[in-house]
Amino acid sequence: MRVIILGSGIMGLTTAYMLSKIGYKVTVLEKNSASGMGCSYANGGQLSFSHAEPWFSKSSLFSILKNVISPKSFIYIQNLADKEFLSWLLQFISNCGNKKVSQATINLLNLGMYSKFILGDILKEEKINFKYNKNGILHFYRSKKSFEKAKKQADFQASLGCRFDILDSKQCLDKESTLIKLSDQDKLAGGILFKDDASGDSSLFIKEFEKICKEKYNIEFIYNCQIQNILTNHKKITGVNSSKGVFQGDIYINTLGSYGNLLLKGVGVNNNIYPVKGYSLSIPVNKSYIAPKIALTDPENKIVYSRLGSTFRAAGTIEICNLKSNSNIKNINFLKNVIKSTYSDFGNIVEAKEWFGFRPYCSNGIPIIGKVKKYGNLYNNYGHGSLGWTNSFASAKIISDKILRKTIDKRFSFLSDA
């Protein structure tokens, strides 16, 4: 059986790996000159297996709406009249009921914990060096009110098996001394250390994983291959037309992230996924510029921080601009200003490398992993939002099981075919 995978980001790579291991002949089509050049390239570097509260919870939605009107905030909407965004936003808001939020939390936590397990299996079998740090992620809070809300959410997740420690201000400083600046200003209410979470260099992971896929599993990668359209006979997919010709297989899998919806609309499939642009800074670290040493999350500013060897990575912001590929200095400045106001030492920020990517968000916060009912041989594995790397391992295993027509664990029954 031949499988054609569209896209060679982390989702495409992990999917290719799982299918090649069980005997499928896999070809991966990628528009760039190497794997992982899109959303996977310079993301926050966090494996947030415990990060299960969806964006559409009432507290998160209120925070987003409040920050929309602020000139200096983590969110920027370029065009409020964008019809695609408005359609997505209405569905997003419709998911804000307590029952839907609770169920989404359960679903995302199950997916995250399963992904941690699958990654563990992969690392037992494959040697991958990617600056992996398994010491957890510390979420810290300035506001006592925000801290109390977070503790309630953590208690709910504890009932589902999530492991964490509640830390006071002093204990946060014991974990990360550069938070002393917040503490001195009486702006460090406390934190929650999620012990199952981890961090690492996703770009380095992809580079090494790609090599394993080529050399050990004979996966074929076609680079600089611009996918133009999908060919059908109205019952199934018959090929993929590209700048390098037509590729044909028995099964086709879309792992194109934010770019997947545009392609699928050409064959009458619309999953209402919207691209949310995020930015990152990669800041050099040395003996003079120390910077934080552990993985941190700042929920109030929607920023994550990871120490990746001699790099301090900060990533966040929400920019609504569809797929416009211009850099917005407002978001870069927001990241820099929050970093400077948060830490006593933050690396050589003058030499920071700037980057942005598009996170593919479903309006219900749940990725689309399954068969497209309209076409019996087309599958989707995309829509993971900011948890792409985190949940890619579980997603790849689930999609491969679906292709094999294995019985899927009832925990993942929410991942129905579309």
Side-chain angles (χ1 to χ4, degrees), residues 92-128:
F92 179 85
I93 293 172
S94 72
N95 289 302
C96 288
N98 290 336
K99 286 185 178 180
K100 288 185 177 181
V101 171
S102 294
Q103 189 57 56
T105 298
I106 294 169
N107 292 342
L108 288 172
L109 189 59
N110 282 335
L111 194 61
M113 290 299 109
Y114 187 48
S115 207
K116 176 181 168 66
F117 173 77
I118 298 298
L119 174 59
D121 280 352
I122 291 172
L123 294 180
K124 286 176 186 176
E125 190 165 345
E126 317 294 352
K127 292 182 179 179
I128 307 174

Side-chain angles (χ1 to χ4, degrees), residues 333-358:
N333 287 339
F334 174 78
L335 287 175
K336 288 181 177 180
N337 290 335
V338 174
I339 290 168
K340 291 175 182 178
S341 65
T342 300
Y343 301 104
S344 59
D345 199 335
F346 39 76
N348 187 2
I349 201 166
V350 175
E351 300 295 327
K353 293 181 180 179
E354 302 169 2
W355 174 87
F356 66 80
F358 295 95

Side-chain angles (χ1 to χ4, degrees), residues 184-217:
D184 286 348
Q185 296 172 353
D186 198 26
K187 292 181 179 179
L188 184 59
I192 304 174
L193 178 67
F194 288 95
K195 297 190 284 186
D196 287 313
D197 292 357
S199 62
D201 189 327
S202 58
S203 186
L204 185 56
F205 179 94
I206 286 173
K207 185 177 180 180
E208 296 210 2
F209 201 46
E210 178 188 52
K211 185 178 180 182
I212 290 168
C213 286
K214 287 178 181 177
E215 297 178 358
K216 186 175 179 180
Y217 296 100

